[in-house]
Amino acid sequence: MGSLDTNALQVQVGDDEFRPLDPDDVRACLHKAVDFVADYLQSVESLPVLPDVQPGYLRKLLNPSPPATSAPFDVAMKELRAAVVPGTTHWASPNFFAFFPATNSAAAIAGELVASAMNTVGFTWQAAPAATELEALALDWLAQLLRLPPDFINNNNTTPRGGSGGGVILGTTSEAMLVTLVAARDAALRRSSSSGVAGMARLTVYASDQTHSTFLKACRLAGFDPVNVRTVPTGAETEYALDTARLRDAMRDDVDAGLVPTYVCATLGTTSTNAVDPIGAIADVAGSFDAWVHVDAAYAGSACICPEFRHHLNGVERVDSISMSPHKWLLTCLDCTCLWVRNKSQLTSSLETNPEYLKNDVSQSGDVTDLKDMQVGIGHRFRGLKLWMVMRTYGATKLQQHIRSDIAMAKMFEDWVRADDRFEVIVPRKFALICFRIIIRPRHGAMKKVEEDADVANQELMARLNKTGKMYVAHTVVSGKFVLRFAVGSSMQEERHVRSAWELIQKTAGEILRDEP
């Protein structure tokens, strides 16, 4: 082997040296980014909620090829303002009423910023002691606000293997469903003395027809045969909540057919109508078949930090897992889905991995549960920091005030809809979502034609409202009817925004109904 050419190995020093985390550059870039964020939030109310752009618009405005040379940070900021902002759907807008809110706050933004700067990869306790323990603490704080049973609390904030329950912060509800489905699957296979593909063919899972579509996706990813996914029909008689009598019949029929009931997903606040499944009754039914019960409280779980809404969680002491997403309604920016399990060893036994390069004395001691063993992947973001910052900064009182304010505005909107005989409320409001539609009065033709005309009118109403840029609403279909969903809860929303939206809805509906033949 020849001698090294030391000249070839020298790093160029001087003005052209590349230091991506030079403190002065970091400070300068972040000052400009923070100014942008503050200015954006100050002006977002005046921006069209839905952008007037067509697919492919951005590639025409920005370079199609990556730059070979560096440019001042100001160039990127200029292009951000000129090209990206005009093509953004502004979820932060107080005129956003579609889907469910994606809430945010100053404390959450700051927490996300600091976590991004630290950039910890928390696959093991040793790799990120503070991040691991702060996540456990934040989960325990939120569990206490929700008055979850002690079984779901982490022991001493270190999630020791000796403790039974605990939690993890994941990215989305889809992930929470997937990991609990995998744990339930493996538990059912052990219980039925089965293994492998042959055993999987006998496992059945259950949810209502109002359960989020991500459930079916998670079932496929977890290996459940689609023919063994039971969708229990709901109706107006239960306000679209899961009917436990139908659930029991479905599970009993499966047992009689030699199948193994494995998992039931209950929902607290379904996407279409905010239906609330009876958690306690579902747990009683599932318990008689040894099936895992998971509660998806992604949206409405946040309301349960208020004592007057906590009854919706009655029976949670008998379920196996529960998840909720503070990024929806608890002022904590994406992504942040909290999952609690009664027995975390059931989760880790299915998800644990122990490569040589991650072995360490603390993990081997059994004094901690590494977060890599409670999720699909190995790497783990420092999500606990922003959740902790939100609770530490605002406290229970202000978080409850936030929830109650949104619900009060939603009730106000519901009262306006009910008072206008051109509209109907499709399901009683439970939280801050109102499902409503224009009514078409029978004047001629069959009732079927009237319903078809109503669907057309409501589709037209949504299209015209969204086209104005002054508000954004989404829709669903309930019992075959096209329905508008009006979700209150954007972080900067005030009564004046809800009132302006209603006035625009009234005006637009009047124009549509006058156009009716």
Side-chain angles (χ1 to χ4, degrees):
M1 185 174 179
S3 61
L4 292 173
D5 181 354
T6 55
N7 291 328
L9 293 178
Q10 288 180 352
V11 176
Q12 184 178 0
V13 178
D15 293 341
D16 293 333
E17 183 176 356
F18 180 42
R19 293 190 180 99
L21 284 177
D22 178 86
D24 290 336
D25 287 346
V26 169
R27 184 171 285 106
C29 288
L30 291 186
H31 280 168
K32 292 172 181 177
V34 168
D35 285 343
F36 168 83
V37 169
D39 290 344
Y40 171 75
L41 293 174
Q42 189 172 38
S43 63
V44 69
E45 177 179 352
S46 63
L47 300 176
V49 188
L50 278 175
D52 184 18
V53 294
Q54 298 301 315
Y57 92 97
L58 192 63
R59 190 173 290 271
K60 299 173 183 177
L61 298 177
L62 300 179
N63 291 331
S65 301
T69 58
S70 61
F73 183 68
D74 287 342
V75 172
M77 293 302 295
K78 181 179 179 181
E79 292 180 351
L80 169 64
R81 292 186 176 91
V84 178
V85 172
T88 297
T89 296
H90 298 291
W91 288 66
S93 172
N95 300 311
F96 185 101
F97 299 98
F99 310 114
F100 282 131
T103 56
N104 211 343
S105 63
I109 295 170
E112 186 79 330
L113 172 62
V114 173
S116 296
M118 291 181 169
N119 207 28
T120 63
V121 184
F123 32 59
T124 63
W125 181 94
Q126 185 185 63
T132 301
E133 298 199 14
L134 189 61
E135 179 163 321
L137 178 62
L139 284 162
D140 286 354
W141 279 11
L142 186 51
Q144 291 173 64
L145 290 181
L146 294 168
R147 289 190 288 157
L148 295 185
D151 289 353
F152 292 101
I153 302 293
N154 296 286
N155 273 335
N156 300 321
N157 304 323
T158 55
T159 61
R161 297 185 189 206
S164 58
V168 61
I169 303 180
L170 303 172
T172 64
T173 298
S174 306
E175 294 174 61
M177 287 182 178
L178 178 57
V179 298
T180 53
L181 278 162
V182 168
R185 176 197 70 191
D186 293 350
L189 289 173
R190 291 191 296 269
R191 191 170 66 247
S192 59
S193 301
S194 302
S195 62
V197 176
M200 281 293 299
R202 298 177 57 215
L203 306 186
T204 53
V205 297
Y206 308 83
S208 86
D209 60 5
Q210 300 297 305
T211 302
H212 198 284
S213 60
T214 195
F215 176 68
L216 300 177
K217 182 176 184 178
C219 288
R220 292 198 302 272
L221 291 172
F224 288 92
D225 190 329
V227 302
N228 287 346
V229 178
R230 308 288 183 246
T231 301
V232 181
T234 61
E237 68 280 1
T238 62
E239 295 183 1
Y240 300 96
L242 181 61
D243 186 329
T244 53
R246 287 180 169 178
L247 174 65
R248 184 183 297 276
D249 290 344
M251 299 179 83
R252 185 181 293 118
D253 289 346
D254 284 336
V255 170
D256 292 344
L259 301 176
V260 181
T262 299
Y263 184 102
V264 181
C265 183
T267 305
L268 199 171
T270 60
T271 300
S272 280
T273 63
N274 255 193
V276 175
D277 292 337
I279 294 171
I282 289 171
D284 290 342
V285 171
S288 62
F289 296 95
D290 291 326
W292 183 293
V293 179
H294 175 70
V295 176
D296 168 16
Y299 163 69
S302 294
C304 295
I305 69 169
C306 301
E308 63 267 33
F309 299 109
R310 174 54 179 77
H311 65 278
H312 292 298
L313 275 175
N314 287 351
V316 71
E317 66 278 2
R318 300 196 296 281
V319 310
D320 298 279
S321 57
I322 176 173
S323 63
M324 66 162 284
S325 298
H327 63 234
K328 288 188 181 294
W329 203 10
L330 209 60
L331 301 179
T332 307
C333 52
L334 278 165
D335 51 5
C336 186
T337 290
C338 299
L339 169 67
W340 295 271
V341 290
R342 177 185 303 283
N343 184 351
K344 62 179 177 287
S345 66
Q346 288 186 288
L347 206 61
T348 58
S349 65
S350 294
L351 301 172
E352 187 175 31
T353 182
N354 195 29
E356 187 63 35
Y357 52 81
L358 291 184
K359 290 181 180 177
N360 62 84
D361 291 343
V362 179
S363 295
Q364 299 299 108
S365 73
D367 291 335
V368 301
T369 298
D370 292 329
L371 295 175
K372 67 178 175 61
D373 298 328
M374 298 183 72
Q375 60 179 28
V376 174
I378 301 299
H380 191 83
R381 292 184 59 227
F382 194 179
R383 298 185 183 97
L385 180 58
K386 60 188 174 187
L387 179 60
W388 174 80
M389 277 197 168
V390 166
M391 290 187 287
R392 185 66 187 87
T393 302
Y394 303 124
T397 300
K398 285 193 178 298
L399 292 174
Q400 290 168 345
Q401 177 184 334
H402 154 70
I403 296 291
R404 288 168 176 149
S405 173
D406 289 346
I407 291 175
M409 287 189 290
K411 182 183 184 303
M412 177 181 67
F413 183 88
E414 180 190 31
D415 290 343
W416 291 337
V417 175
R418 291 188 182 279
D420 191 323
D421 62 7
R422 297 172 299 176
F423 297 92
E424 63 177 333
V425 174
I426 296 299
V427 291
R429 179 198 51 80
K430 291 184 176 63
F431 303 104
L433 172 71
I434 302 93
C435 296
F436 72 104
R437 72 197 302 253
I438 289 174
I439 302 172
I440 299 296
R441 305 294 178 185
R443 289 177 293 181
H444 54 79
M447 192 63 195
K448 180 180 179 181
K449 178 65 166 57
V450 171
E451 290 298 336
E452 290 174 353
D453 290 346
D455 282 350
V456 170
N458 283 285
Q459 291 168 10
E460 179 67 15
L461 175 60
M462 184 179 74
R464 292 194 192 186
L465 292 172
N466 292 341
K467 189 175 182 179
T468 67
K470 296 178 180 179
M471 63 180 294
Y472 180 26
V473 290
H475 80 282
T476 189
V477 174
V478 180
S479 294
K481 298 178 179 180
F482 187 95
V483 175
L484 274 65
R485 296 173 68 263
F486 189 90
V488 176
S490 178
S491 301
M492 296 190 290
Q493 233 157 49
E494 300 173 6
E495 181 178 328
R496 63 188 176 89
H497 301 110
V498 178
R499 187 178 298 276
S500 294
W502 173 240
E503 291 171 354
L504 181 59
I505 290 169
Q506 285 186 305
K507 176 177 178 293
T508 309
E511 294 169 355
I512 291 171
L513 293 174
R514 281 195 297 273
D515 291 343
E516 288 291 308

